[in-house]
Amino acid sequence: MHQLNIDTLRMEAKRQLAQLKSLLEKAQQKGLVDEPAADDHNRATFDTQSITKVLEVLDGENYKLDHLDMVLAVVGTMKAGKSTSINAIVGAEVLPNRNRPMTTLPTLIRHTPGVLQPRLIFEKVQPINELLATLSQAIKLVNQEVLLELQNDEDMKELLIQIRQQTFFVSQHEGAEDIFRFLKGLNDLVRLCFTLNVEFPFDAYAIVEAMPVIEVEFSHLKDTPVTQGRLTLLDTPGPNEAGQQHLRHMLKDQLKKASAVLAVLDYTQLKSDADEQVRESLMEISYTAKDRMYALVNKFDQKDRNGDDGAAVKKYIAQTLMKNAMAESSVFPVSSKQGYLASRARNELERNGKLPNNECWVEDFGKERFGGMWVDFINDPQMVKAGADKLWQDSGFSVPLEQVIFEAHRNAAMEALRSAASKLDNLAKDTGNFFKANVGSLKKSVAELQKNIDRLQQDIENIAKIEASTEEALEGILQSTQIKIETASAGIQKEVTEKIESYFKEGKTAESDNHQKKEQRKGLSNPKEKTTQSDGFFGTALASFLGSKREIKDSTLDFDPSSPIIKFDDRAAAQDFIKRIESSIKTLMDKAESDCNSCIQSGIDNFSIEFDGHRINALESIKESIKRNLDDFDIIVHLPNTESIKIDSPVTSLMKSAIMEKTRTVTKHRRQDGLWGTICGWFDTSDWGWESYQGSEEYYEVDINKINTSSRKGIETLFISAHSILNKDIVPQLQHGVEEFFSAFREKVENVRGDLISGVKKHSLDQARKAEILATSSEMAIEAAALEKDCITLNDSAETLRYKESPSSTRLEVQV
Amino acid sequence: MSNDLAPITPNSTLCQTLSCLQEKFVVDFANSIDVARDHIRVQRQRTGFFARMYDGFTGKGARRQTEINAGLVDGVEASLKWLTELTESMAQSNLAITQVNDRVSILSGSMVELSHYSVDTREQLKEMAYRLDKRMHDMTQEISRIDFIQKAKLNIDITFSKWEAGRFSVLSPAARCYAAMEELHWGSLGDYCRCLENPAHKRREFLQLVIDRSTKQLAVDAAVELQTPAEMATVWLAAPSISRSSNGIDMPQALSWLADQMTIDSTPFIYSAAHITKNLPSKVPLIAQARRIAEAMTHEIFPLETLDA
Ligand SMILES: Nc1nc2c(ncn2[C@@H]2O[C@H](COP(=O)(O)OP(=O)(O)OP(=O)(O)O)[C@@H](O)[C@H]2O)c(=O)[nH]1
Ligand SMILES: [Mg+2]
């Protein structure tokens, strides 16, 4: 079959851009384009001001088609080997990898042919240099103990000297060592900020332009023609890293734009506690980068005889962890370390014919490949070459590398194409309408024109009405969603209370039994205690349960059925009790969270349906009316893209991060506690009503009131989070979507009206000039109409191709 | 003698297939008569398509070869005689006759200033002008008569059945479409559509019919679905591997000659279909659906402006 190929579409896009550009320039030269109207609402489709912008857009799209910008984002869990993977792709150590978190700021690594010695450019040093001054003040206030500890840390010592001397960071760093030192310094700086409780200026780095960029030739791409585009890798801080919250939006944005996403997971940590967390972050990424996502399961060299083999790993990730949101064929067990060592050795051999003498990576390489006898082989280039090739093979890195880069190239080309095609489609339609309006206006009398202008004004006002009613609908849905959340919240609170109540009863029964045993052991006859009216929180409930009244205290170990304190004299029993409450509460919390999620999600869904309805029906009718109102103009006002409104993250992950934000202070301390840490975080407390006392008699107290309060607070946090994402995240996005759509639509109609208004002005020109303008406009209207068709075809083809499975573009040459 | 040089006779397969060739030949013949220099400008290239038709149509084939080689050319008097004959026997369309008439008026005008032409020649020209005028008048009347519609329809049917029957199959799909367009352009449909007295809606209807039938046939020929865009270079402009028959070479040459007045700028689709070009004209898309080509070609032959006027 005649399959269209992306290169042809790209050339066609370039042709259309050139055609449209020349058409618009001609219109300008022939004096068809007026000065901008004084009133913004009367502006024509093109005026001398807006046409310049349009021409710039066309040039920009053309540039992007010529210079494909491929961004390969590398994401992954902490210490999974993101930086090592990047080093493997580059074939040199451009990023430090150590056994502690190293990447603090997202960093770009850009393939720059011919640059063998990597160089780092970090324009925006001012904020961190200002930070040096702040830190030097903060250090003076810190206590001696902390300072001593800092000074014992070799890396910190260096930084402390830098701060004392106020040696500024510079913007350019040449060579791996210098780059390494700089990035390490940056890392230390962030760590120090945390220790000293000084804000690191993350916000200053929350835009891509502010990221550090390392330029270097990637050994695997050195023979790739420049026309294939420019590959940039993006190293990201681990998801738990400090500052992640600040940079979250930018990172998300970057993932959205990335040509491919490489998720690096740690084979040795696969089934650990962090499992759920990994899954969630992968899910979130796959939400934005569905078909562009690959997973490297790194450190596969650590696999022992009993470990999962490659096939099992692929299956586990794709099916179990990702619940089929990812294909098995996109999962690759690799050893980035081996990949890096092999690729660096090969690179080195190619450049210098031998490996350098005293660099530690050579030893790593030698040992990895030749074991203890490595020294015997390392100076034999042939052995080294063969060894490196074998290691590269063993690393399993070449297949994913080839595929990911290939995919990135394809996607970048596709992205550039789609962007150009959709802009062309829109602009060509505008252009067509512009000329048609020009022709039409000159053929009509001023009076007729004025009538059309007035009718269009009616349509513009109608659009405003529809917009208002859409906003009303949004408001209504927001309110009902809020009510649903409230109801869910009250329901859960009730359940929690009941749950705790029943635990309280259970605890008290145990305590009472215990107490009795003890009393008996003590030989004290204390039958049928008199009890009084309870005033404790659960007193009433308990009283009816135990069928007894409040006891009159007469000993330190008195049993008080109404007291919120439950006493245990066995640590294990107390702990077990707490554990069970925890787990019940956790179940309820999960339920609450999922309730919130579904309330919000259904709110969004309802709104989408509502919105689509509004748009399609009402706006189609406006479109119709415009068509009727514009006598013989043959102008079709096209609706802005009718894609449904979409939230930029799944609700579940929005919810997760909102909760995390609310409880950040707590989680910071409790991070090590794993799953429970998070739950405690929700309770927003570190004191969960649990204490032990050591005295003459060892006993353990569980304060049910505190547990109740904390649990309530936890649930509250959850629902506050729900309201907050609804109000701060979701509604603004929906509102924005509505606004954007309507203002784009209104502007289109206003522009057509503006075209007619400037048509009225043209009537005051002399006959000869009018005839000339009419002739040119007619001719150009025909050309524009033809181009319009081609643009639609291209746009459709680009979209079709995007969904085709087998890429037909020429394969990118990657030396692997 | 190689095919490149062989005279093309009126009853050759080529002329049977493309009946427009003789119409254009008559017009070109008229335009080649140069009274000021007393000769006829036959294209000198031995491969020139017009020259081959000239040889074939004037029946001078072999004899003329030596004359051409010797640089001799026919005189005006002989040419006018030929023109008269050819016009009577070959030119069927109003389009051809009008253009010959235009040329004859110019010739008459020039001849007044030139003294060396005999009275006979002048008379001959006058006579010719008279007859042409009469024929034009009659034709104009005929064209605006209601039953001329039948002729236009017949023109369409014959043209498309030729195409459907594979008689243009040595050409690329786009070139086949162009061939069909020329058949219509020089045929009754062309005459009908150019006649402004005829109702505009009817003319539009005809052109729409032409577009539809071309669209369908283009899609069938290229085995591309109607809605599917295909590459211009490798699909629409891809000629089948050249056949050994003379038609395989002659027909593309004939097309190229038919399109000798077409420019890249004003008729880019035809230009690229009829001439071999290294790059596509910038106004021709690299990918297109069948309809886009059919529409573009139709309107390049029958400009939209003439419909609105
Ligand atoms: N065994 C083994 N260790 C590896 C491999 N890849 C990386 N490592 C080690 O894992 C540790 C972390 O590697 P990095 O590349 O710094 O990981 P990262 O994901 O960039 O870490 P952060 O940016 O700090 O989150 C280092 O000690 C690496 O040497 C591998 O393939 N096998
Ligand atoms: Mg890192």
Side-chain angles (χ1 to χ4, degrees):
Chain A
M1 266 313 295
H2 313 287
Q3 178 148 40
L4 288 178
N5 120 357
I6 190 161
D7 295 331
T8 310
L9 298 190
R10 220 164 115 193
M11 293 310 292
E12 171 63 4
K14 283 175 65 63
R15 182 195 73 88
Q16 292 181 4
L17 288 167
Q19 285 299 108
L20 189 54
K21 188 176 171 187
S22 92
L23 208 54
L24 292 175
E25 279 172 347
K26 200 166 148 202
Q28 235 174 345
Q29 286 156 12
K30 299 269 174 180
L32 301 182
V33 182
D34 293 342
E35 293 287 317
D39 181 349
D40 248 9
H41 295 290
N42 293 346
R43 280 181 81 163
T45 303
F46 300 120
D47 53 42
T48 47
Q49 204 176 358
S50 68
I51 204 164
T52 334
K53 289 222 183 71
V54 171
L55 290 171
E56 273 166 22
V57 168
L58 297 179
D59 285 342
E61 292 302 322
N62 194 42
Y63 184 88
K64 284 197 281 180
L65 284 168
D66 280 340
H67 303 80
L68 289 185
D69 218 352
M70 302 178 267
V71 176
L72 175 56
V74 182
V75 302
T77 43
M78 241 203 302
K79 311 303 321 143
K82 298 176 291 294
S83 300
T84 310
S85 302
I86 287 173
N87 289 341
I89 297 174
V90 175
E93 188 175 28
V94 287
L95 292 170
N97 59 75
R98 283 290 148 92
N99 251 329
R100 58 176 169 75
M102 276 310 302
T103 307
T104 31
L105 281 187
T107 307
L108 295 170
I109 302 93
R110 178 160 295 150
H111 171 50
T112 316
V115 177
L116 301 185
Q117 157 114 319
R119 56 171 183 244
L120 180 142
I121 298 145
F122 186 54
E123 294 291 351
K124 206 169 180 177
V125 282
Q126 204 197 341
I128 53 170
N129 283 335
E130 280 165 10
L131 180 66
L132 289 179
T134 318
L135 284 172
S136 100
Q137 291 306 311
I139 287 173
K140 289 178 189 147
L141 304 173
V142 91
N143 71 39
Q144 210 49 40
E145 210 176 307
V146 177
L147 200 62
L148 227 80
E149 201 181 308
L150 284 173
Q151 264 156 352
N152 280 337
D153 182 334
E154 268 311 306
D155 296 329
M156 277 300 170
K157 208 153 96 190
E158 245 171 80
L159 179 61
L160 291 177
I161 295 170
Q162 185 184 359
I163 293 171
R164 194 168 325 119
Q165 299 177 340
Q166 290 288 300
T167 320
F168 283 163
F169 287 97
V170 295
S171 293
Q172 291 249 11
H173 299 269
E174 296 281 341
E177 236 161 86
D178 208 8
I179 292 176
F180 192 100
R181 206 174 310 121
F182 170 75
L183 290 176
K184 191 179 71 64
L186 207 57
N187 180 275
D188 296 335
L189 198 61
V190 174
R191 283 197 303 145
L192 183 63
C193 282
F194 270 79
T195 318
L196 300 181
N197 242 329
V198 170
E199 284 268 333
F200 184 87
F202 281 114
D203 292 337
Y205 297 103
I207 50 166
V208 195
E209 290 69 26
M211 289 184 196
V213 183
I214 298 172
E215 296 180 336
V216 64
E217 177 178 289
F218 295 7
S219 65
H220 293 285
L221 295 180
K222 63 174 173 293
D223 299 323
T224 313
V226 199
T227 48
Q228 296 278 21
R230 185 177 73 171
L231 180 68
T232 303
L233 305 173
L234 169 64
D235 188 21
T236 60
N240 303 325
E241 234 18 82
Q244 233 258 339
Q245 290 295 330
H246 301 261
L247 304 173
R248 209 180 97 217
H249 285 291
M250 177 201 39
L251 283 173
K252 194 189 277 174
D253 201 44
Q254 281 309 103
L255 288 184
K256 213 183 280 172
K257 288 190 204 141
S259 320
V261 176
L262 197 58
V264 183
L265 310 176
D266 188 337
Y267 173 74
T268 62
Q269 300 290 314
L270 264 196
K271 293 169 185 174
S272 72
D273 246 11
D275 201 77
E276 178 66 9
Q277 220 179 347
V278 175
R279 197 188 76 82
E280 250 155 42
S281 40
L282 286 185
M283 281 295 191
E284 172 154 12
I285 295 162
S286 82
Y287 187 83
T288 34
K290 258 176 250 71
D291 321 315
R292 300 170 277 143
M293 189 171 162
Y294 292 84
L296 295 185
V297 183
N298 189 28
K299 308 192 189 176
F300 201 56
D301 53 302
Q302 298 288 69
K303 169 183 139 51
D304 60 27
R305 217 166 301 127
N306 305 321
D308 280 352
D309 64 3
V313 166
K314 278 169 172 269
K315 198 166 163 179
Y316 172 74
I317 303 285
Q319 293 181 9
T320 312
L321 195 65
M322 293 296 286
K323 308 225 156 50
N324 289 324
M326 193 172 197
E328 269 181 49
S329 58
S330 304
V331 182
F332 302 92
V334 299
S335 167
S336 296
K337 194 170 79 185
Q338 291 177 346
Y340 154 63
L341 291 171
S343 127
R344 183 161 186 191
R346 298 208 308 188
N347 203 10
E348 204 67 52
L349 274 183
E350 219 165 286
R351 280 182 199 168
N352 305 319
K354 59 178 174 58
L355 301 187
N357 281 328
N358 10 328
E359 286 184 21
C360 8
W361 71 270
V362 177
E363 183 176 340
D364 293 344
F365 167 74
K367 284 182 175 155
E368 187 74 44
R369 185 63 201 100
F370 306 110
M373 314 269 283
W374 67 277
V375 190
D376 297 348
F377 302 101
I378 209 73
N379 289 320
D380 178 348
Q382 252 164 342
M383 283 303 287
V384 172
K385 174 78 175 76
D389 287 348
K390 177 74 169 60
L391 191 62
W392 176 249
Q393 242 182 355
D394 290 350
S395 75
F397 216 83
S398 80
V399 183
L401 180 58
E402 192 182 358
Q403 272 197 29
V404 170
I405 293 179
F406 173 63
E407 184 67 15
H409 181 261
R410 188 178 129 76
N411 285 326
M414 200 65 236
E415 267 329 291
L417 174 65
R418 285 183 65 217
S419 156
S422 83
K423 292 220 170 67
L424 273 165
D425 191 9
N426 262 311
L427 289 172
K429 281 175 181 147
D430 288 347
T431 309
N433 282 350
F434 176 74
F435 290 122
K436 280 182 202 160
N438 262 300
V439 174
S441 319
L442 285 171
K443 284 186 180 166
K444 285 194 194 325
S445 71
V446 172
E448 280 174 310
L449 274 179
Q450 195 54 51
K451 195 176 73 193
N452 283 302
I453 291 169
D454 294 343
R455 287 188 196 152
L456 281 178
Q457 186 55 38
Q458 281 298 312
D459 289 322
I460 291 167
E461 279 155 25
N462 282 338
I463 294 175
K465 278 185 204 144
I466 298 175
E467 182 174 9
S469 77
T470 309
E471 269 161 8
E472 239 167 65
L474 178 57
E475 186 58 35
I477 286 169
L478 170 65
Q479 271 168 14
S480 71
T481 306
Q482 274 167 337
I483 291 170
K484 276 187 212 149
I485 293 175
E486 299 291 350
T487 317
S489 163
I492 297 276
Q493 288 288 20
K494 191 161 161 274
E495 280 183 65
V496 166
T497 306
E498 282 165 10
K499 231 341 156 271
I500 291 179
E501 202 169 283
S502 90
Y503 275 113
F504 180 61
K505 285 171 189 166
E506 184 197 318
K508 275 295 174 191
T509 316
E511 188 189 348
S512 152
D513 289 353
N514 249 346
H515 179 70
Q516 267 168 19
K517 274 183 219 143
K518 236 173 229 170
E519 294 293 288
Q520 277 154 13
R521 240 182 287 133
K522 278 184 184 170
L524 291 168
S525 61
N526 199 356
K528 299 289 168 243
E529 288 134 353
K530 298 283 168 226
T531 47
T532 57
Q533 185 62 40
S534 74
D535 51 13
F537 187 77
F538 290 102
T540 333
L542 193 73
S544 57
F545 172 71
L546 289 176
S548 59
K549 294 270 165 190
R550 188 181 172 142
E551 184 195 13
I552 297 150
K553 287 189 186 181
D554 60 356
S555 93
T556 42
L557 248 175
D558 270 352
F559 173 65
D560 179 356
S562 66
S563 158
I565 310 281
I566 304 172
K567 290 171 189 155
F568 293 85
D569 36 32
D570 178 0
R571 186 187 174 90
Q575 240 162 1
D576 175 63
F577 183 66
I578 286 274
K579 273 260 156 59
R580 284 192 296 125
I581 302 188
E582 282 173 6
S583 115
S584 298
I585 301 291
K586 167 83 170 94
T587 310
L588 285 173
M589 294 286 253
D590 284 348
K591 181 166 174 289
E593 195 182 337
S594 93
D595 282 358
C596 287
N597 285 339
S598 56
C599 281
I600 294 174
Q601 190 59 54
S602 84
I604 294 172
D605 294 345
N606 286 344
F607 179 71
S608 284
I609 295 167
E610 184 95 4
F611 183 45
D612 285 350
H614 272 79
R615 262 199 311 202
I616 312 294
N617 297 336
L619 294 181
E620 280 299 328
S621 80
I622 286 197
K623 218 166 107 178
E624 270 308 300
S625 129
I626 290 170
K627 225 165 127 185
R628 270 199 313 279
N629 287 346
L630 283 170
D631 312 302
D632 311 322
F633 273 98
D634 198 22
I635 286 176
I636 295 166
V637 176
H638 47 288
L639 292 182
N641 69 329
T642 36
E643 244 174 64
S644 258
I645 271 199
K646 202 174 171 229
I647 300 299
D648 70 357
S649 299
V651 174
T652 46
S653 73
L654 277 179
M655 202 51 197
K656 284 259 149 44
S657 51
I659 294 165
M660 213 155 94
E661 208 143 342
K662 288 257 176 319
T663 58
R664 197 161 66 212
T665 43
V666 184
T667 29
K668 205 156 106 187
H669 303 301
R670 291 191 168 256
R671 202 158 109 180
Q672 305 313 332
D673 299 359
L675 199 57
W676 181 238
T678 335
I679 301 173
C680 248
W682 292 357
F683 292 114
D684 203 11
T685 178
S686 51
D687 171 19
W688 205 52
W690 151 259
E691 270 160 284
S692 63
Y693 296 97
Q694 263 120 5
S696 53
E697 207 170 353
E698 204 169 274
Y699 69 96
Y700 306 88
E701 270 188 15
V702 173
D703 185 340
I704 208 85
N705 264 1
K706 273 194 182 165
I707 291 181
N708 189 50
T709 317
S710 302
S711 301
R712 284 180 158 276
K713 224 189 202 167
I715 300 284
E716 219 170 274
T717 306
L718 203 68
F719 286 97
I720 289 173
S721 300
H723 283 297
S724 128
I725 65 162
L726 190 63
N727 293 321
K728 293 212 186 94
D729 266 312
I730 311 250
V731 171
Q733 281 189 56
L734 297 179
Q735 263 165 355
H736 182 73
V738 172
E739 246 172 57
E740 207 171 31
F741 173 81
F742 282 102
S743 68
F745 188 57
R746 187 171 31 239
E747 198 181 310
K748 283 259 146 70
V749 184
E750 280 176 355
N751 285 162
V752 173
R753 190 169 165 273
D755 290 343
L756 302 195
I757 293 175
S758 65
V760 171
K761 278 197 224 119
K762 292 206 171 87
H763 274 273
S764 58
L765 298 169
D766 64 57
Q767 282 305 326
R769 176 77 184 121
K770 271 194 328 200
E772 188 192 328
I773 292 182
L774 181 58
T776 334
S777 301
S778 306
E779 190 189 303
M780 293 174 79
I782 292 172
E783 269 185 57
L787 187 58
E788 213 178 308
K789 284 179 199 154
D790 294 341
C791 289
I792 294 173
T793 302
L794 178 68
N795 201 16
D796 290 351
S797 305
E799 290 306 309
T800 314
L801 188 64
R802 190 171 159 233
Y803 292 109
K804 284 246 173 74
E805 282 186 343
S806 62
S808 58
S809 119
T810 45
R811 248 184 126 73
L812 184 72
E813 297 281 318
V814 186
Q815 185 214 331
V816 283
Chain B
M1 195 187 285
S2 88
N3 271 330
D4 287 10
L5 299 169
I8 289 164
T9 57
N11 46 12
S12 63
T13 326
L14 184 62
C15 287
Q16 299 298 310
T17 310
L18 293 171
S19 40
C20 59
L21 288 179
Q22 58 191 44
E23 305 277 336
K24 177 165 163 70
F25 176 73
V26 176
V27 173
D28 273 24
F29 188 91
N31 285 333
S32 67
I33 300 174
D34 187 343
V35 287
R37 301 233 187 92
D38 187 18
H39 72 195
I40 175 159
R41 286 168 287 135
V42 179
Q43 276 172 290
R44 255 21 114 68
Q45 293 111 321
R46 298 158 67 82
T47 53
F49 194 81
F50 176 71
R52 293 175 60 198
M53 284 195 80
Y54 185 87
D55 290 350
F57 276 54
T58 53
K60 288 197 227 163
R63 181 175 60 77
R64 275 197 52 77
Q65 199 55 49
T66 42
E67 287 176 29
I68 289 170
N69 290 347
L72 296 173
V73 284
D74 285 5
V76 164
E77 271 168 60
S79 302
L80 284 177
K81 224 153 110 196
W82 267 115
L83 181 60
T84 313
E85 253 174 61
L86 287 171
T87 310
E88 307 268 295
S89 62
M90 304 270 164
Q92 305 293 324
S93 66
N94 194 35
L95 179 62
I97 292 164
T98 315
Q99 289 185 64
V100 172
N101 185 52
D102 289 350
R103 184 64 194 168
V104 167
S105 312
I106 292 173
L107 290 180
S108 311
S110 321
M111 213 167 271
V112 175
E113 292 154 25
L114 299 167
S115 50
H116 62 274
Y117 286 106
S118 66
V119 178
D120 260 10
T121 309
R122 289 171 204 263
E123 275 308 310
Q124 194 186 349
L125 204 57
K126 231 187 233 165
E127 166 71 10
M128 194 175 168
Y130 171 75
R131 279 158 64 175
L132 280 170
D133 203 59
K134 170 131 192 354
R135 248 188 106 183
M136 268 175 60
H137 177 78
D138 292 350
M139 273 195 101
T140 311
Q141 284 208 318
E142 189 194 350
I143 289 168
S144 51
R145 270 210 308 273
I146 201 85
D147 56 352
F148 193 77
I149 287 187
Q150 290 311 320
K151 280 197 152 181
K153 274 188 184 151
L154 193 63
N155 183 204
I156 295 179
D157 280 340
I158 291 175
T159 302
F160 280 100
S161 67
K162 276 186 200 167
W163 185 359
E164 284 158 22
R167 287 173 68 184
F168 304 151
S169 65
V170 296
L171 302 169
S172 71
R176 292 173 206 176
C177 184
Y178 172 52
M181 291 301 156
E182 285 294 6
E183 286 292 283
L184 299 170
H185 175 64
W186 293 98
S188 303
L189 180 79
D191 283 345
Y192 182 86
C193 288
R194 278 182 298 268
C195 173
L196 298 181
E197 275 87 67
N198 288 331
H201 76 91
K202 194 70 207 165
R203 290 183 288 143
R204 278 177 187 282
E205 224 174 270
F206 268 137
L207 293 188
Q208 195 54 53
L209 179 66
V210 169
I211 291 172
D212 289 344
R213 291 189 70 168
S214 306
T215 301
K216 186 173 158 233
Q217 199 52 40
L218 274 167
V220 168
D221 282 15
V224 169
E225 276 175 46
L226 283 174
Q227 306 301 329
T228 311
E231 276 190 16
M232 206 66 199
T234 59
V235 178
W236 302 120
L237 291 177
S241 41
I242 290 247
S243 87
R244 293 197 171 276
S245 76
S246 61
N247 231 2
I249 301 158
D250 287 349
M251 202 182 280
Q253 276 185 12
L255 233 53
S256 170
W257 171 66
L258 280 167
D260 63 358
Q261 300 298 307
M262 305 287 183
T263 66
I264 276 202
D265 220 44
S266 56
T267 52
F269 278 74
I270 290 179
Y271 191 89
S272 56
H275 303 296
I276 294 163
T277 53
K278 207 161 131 251
N279 297 312
L280 282 180
S282 63
K283 285 182 182 164
V284 174
L286 274 61
I287 55 165
Q289 294 168 339
R291 177 164 300 276
R292 171 78 170 99
I293 295 166
E295 280 176 350
M297 289 233 178
T298 308
H299 291 306
E300 283 180 8
I301 289 279
F302 303 100
L304 276 170
E305 296 93 77
T306 58
L307 288 174
D308 292 330

